[in-house]
Amino acid sequence: MSFESDLLAILPRLRRFAASLSQDRADGDDLCQAALEKALRARDQWQPGTRLDSWMYRIIRNVWIDEGRARQRAARTFAPEEAGADVGDAGDRGVEAHVMLSDVDRAMQALPPEQREAIALVLVEGLSYKEAAEVLGVPMGTLTSRLVRGRGALIAMLGEAA
Amino acid sequence: MSMIDEAMLIAWVDGELDEVNRRRVERALADDPALAERAETHRRLRARLTDHFAPVGEEPVPDRFRTLLAESAAVVSMERPGRSRWRGWATGGAIAASLLLGLGLGRVSGGDGEPVGVRDGVMVAKGQLASVLDDQLAAAQDGAAVRIGLSFRRKGGGWCRSFEGEALAGVACREEQGWQVQQLVPGTGPETTYRQASSGDARVLATVDALREGPPADAAQEAAAREAGWR
């Protein structure tokens, strides 16, 4: 099996992870594509025998963090953050995406990045705490406290019936 | 009130507790309806998130990703054949070149009628395209109108071949009805002496990659498969 076929095999999961971090599905695919391009360029850094999915989760997460910083700078220029869902659309796609946005998407977006990525890896991707902590490069205790806070916030936003 | 904190409760929901702690939580849940309700809320939250994003993981992978990966695989095979799975066909370098560079092309249709038709509800190759798929070996096709790219065994058994001509390119697999066309994309266009790998080629490569089991046939395997009537 080649590097590319291995990537193709895990791509459905990578797209899902990217979608759970991103504001909508289109942004998720853009994130996934940027991460794939990065991975193909850096293929020599992947060590055969180690988990390709963990390596890819890490790359997606790093690209997302970098893009998030850039987006935040841009957002501060255009609109106050609390303006939320009603303003600040970049174009037609943004308007459409907001219309389609579900409660779950909105609640995930409201989480701080460090809670969102922990929730995405464990609750969406089904990683164990140990695997998720390794992807994020944090101790287990840090991961579990992010999970506790993130879940509490989600339940508060989505209601007890979650 | 039980001594189970929120972290331990969600670790129970996530299946992260060892046997001792798992029993401890379960005993507490049995005694404490409020705690049990809280656990149920966490369980529902987890299910809701999983269900919400599951469709993304179940969709077919969009073409943009297949194309990206196919192009990367093709470039790597050309740059360093020794390190990739395409070694099997890169050793017959002419085969790779024919697929990627589109050398020496001709027409598909020309006196033999249409290259593709429907037989018993199945899209099959006809005329000259069917003959090429039946008879032409990738190792010997100088000046052929339609060129064979790769011959390979598909998952679940049977032979498939990729082809490329001026009007069309694609992949066909041998079935009872003939060569069932699995993919058809525009060909290389009017004859040129040199052409960069196009997105069409990448699409064909992606299909080959999705269908094939094991490496593509080498010249000897291809000849043997032809002898056996591609069965």
Side-chain angles (χ1 to χ4, degrees):
Chain A
M1 289 294 276
S2 77
F3 190 67
E4 284 85 3
S5 354
D6 292 346
L7 283 175
L8 190 60
I10 59 171
L11 203 49
R13 284 190 283 143
L14 303 180
R15 286 185 68 224
R16 187 176 58 196
F17 178 55
S20 66
L21 293 179
S22 300
Q23 109 141 358
D24 57 50
R25 299 297 142 87
D27 276 0
D29 274 351
D30 288 347
L31 168 60
C32 194
Q33 170 135 4
L36 267 185
E37 285 166 358
K38 197 171 174 187
L40 291 169
R41 283 195 303 272
R43 61 195 298 148
D44 292 336
Q45 288 168 30
W46 178 63
Q47 298 177 338
T50 62
R51 293 267 301 260
L52 183 63
D53 54 355
S54 301
W55 189 69
M56 281 306 304
Y57 282 138
R58 207 170 297 130
I59 292 176
I60 290 171
R61 183 256 181 182
N62 289 342
V63 171
W64 174 66
I65 296 280
D66 290 346
E67 286 179 350
R69 287 195 191 108
R71 234 197 315 271
Q72 264 179 357
R73 280 193 298 274
R76 272 197 297 273
T77 317
F78 295 122
E81 207 167 326
E82 63 271 21
D86 297 326
V87 295
D89 288 315
D92 287 343
R93 200 183 72 183
V95 172
E96 198 178 298
H98 276 308
V99 173
M100 310 268 293
L101 223 52
S102 75
D103 293 347
V104 173
D105 292 319
R106 232 185 278 271
M108 281 291 276
Q109 271 181 61
L111 292 182
E114 68 275 9
Q115 291 175 23
R116 204 189 318 174
E117 62 193 14
I119 295 280
L121 285 173
V122 175
L123 276 70
V124 178
E125 292 308 307
L127 264 59
S128 70
Y129 289 4
K130 184 167 176 289
E131 290 166 337
E134 279 168 12
V135 167
L136 298 175
V138 298
M140 286 274 275
T142 306
L143 178 85
T144 51
S145 72
R146 288 177 185 176
L147 286 173
V148 169
R149 278 177 290 149
R151 276 173 131 121
L154 286 175
I155 288 169
M157 284 184 276
L158 294 169
E160 289 291 312
Chain B
M1 229 17 237
S2 58
M3 299 295 290
I4 307 299
D5 68 10
E6 192 81 351
M8 186 171 281
L9 186 65
I10 70 165
W12 176 79
V13 171
D14 290 337
E16 289 278 340
L17 292 183
D18 61 26
E19 184 69 16
V20 172
N21 281 309
R22 191 171 62 75
R23 288 198 185 158
R24 221 179 110 203
V25 171
E26 280 162 14
R27 272 196 304 274
L29 288 172
D31 293 343
D32 184 345
L35 186 72
E37 179 54 38
R38 187 79 184 153
E40 178 58 18
T41 299
H42 279 301
R43 198 197 53 73
R44 278 198 303 266
L45 175 68
R46 185 174 172 126
R48 185 165 174 188
L49 282 172
T50 305
D51 292 350
H52 180 75
F53 291 103
V56 184
E58 287 155 11
E59 280 168 20
V61 171
D63 285 345
R64 64 192 274 197
F65 297 112
R66 289 190 172 278
T67 304
L68 179 69
L69 291 173
E71 281 171 353
S72 168
V75 167
V76 169
S77 75
M78 297 296 275
E79 282 175 350
R80 36 178 193 186
R83 292 186 59 175
S84 101
R85 68 155 192 294
W86 294 99
R87 188 165 45 233
W89 65 284
T91 47
I95 304 172
S98 75
L99 190 66
L100 291 169
L101 304 179
L103 299 167
L105 300 159
R107 292 186 177 283
V108 170
S109 52
D112 289 329
E114 298 309 313
V116 171
V118 175
R119 191 179 300 151
D120 301 338
V122 171
M123 180 164 68
V124 292
K126 292 170 60 183
Q128 190 190 358
L129 179 58
S131 311
V132 165
L133 290 165
D134 275 335
D135 299 328
Q136 194 165 301
L137 295 179
Q141 51 185 356
D142 284 345
V146 179
R147 299 177 66 85
I148 293 295
L150 301 170
S151 302
F152 57 95
R153 282 196 173 280
R154 71 187 295 183
K155 291 165 187 150
W159 283 94
C160 304
R161 310 188 83 191
S162 67
F163 54 90
E164 186 173 62
E166 190 178 309
L168 43 82
V171 178
C173 294
R174 183 72 205 191
E175 303 285 353
E176 284 303 310
Q177 297 92 337
W179 287 97
Q180 182 177 10
V181 176
Q182 300 284 328
Q183 183 187 36
L184 206 53
V185 299
T188 55
E191 192 162 345
T192 50
T193 51
Y194 178 83
R195 203 173 55 85
Q196 293 287 341
S198 69
S199 59
D201 299 324
R203 282 176 293 181
V204 171
L205 280 176
T207 301
V208 170
D209 206 34
L211 289 173
R212 74 186 174 81
E213 184 166 72
D218 61 22
Q221 290 166 333
E222 190 184 43
R226 181 178 68 172
E227 283 308 302
W230 306 102
R231 301 287 173 170

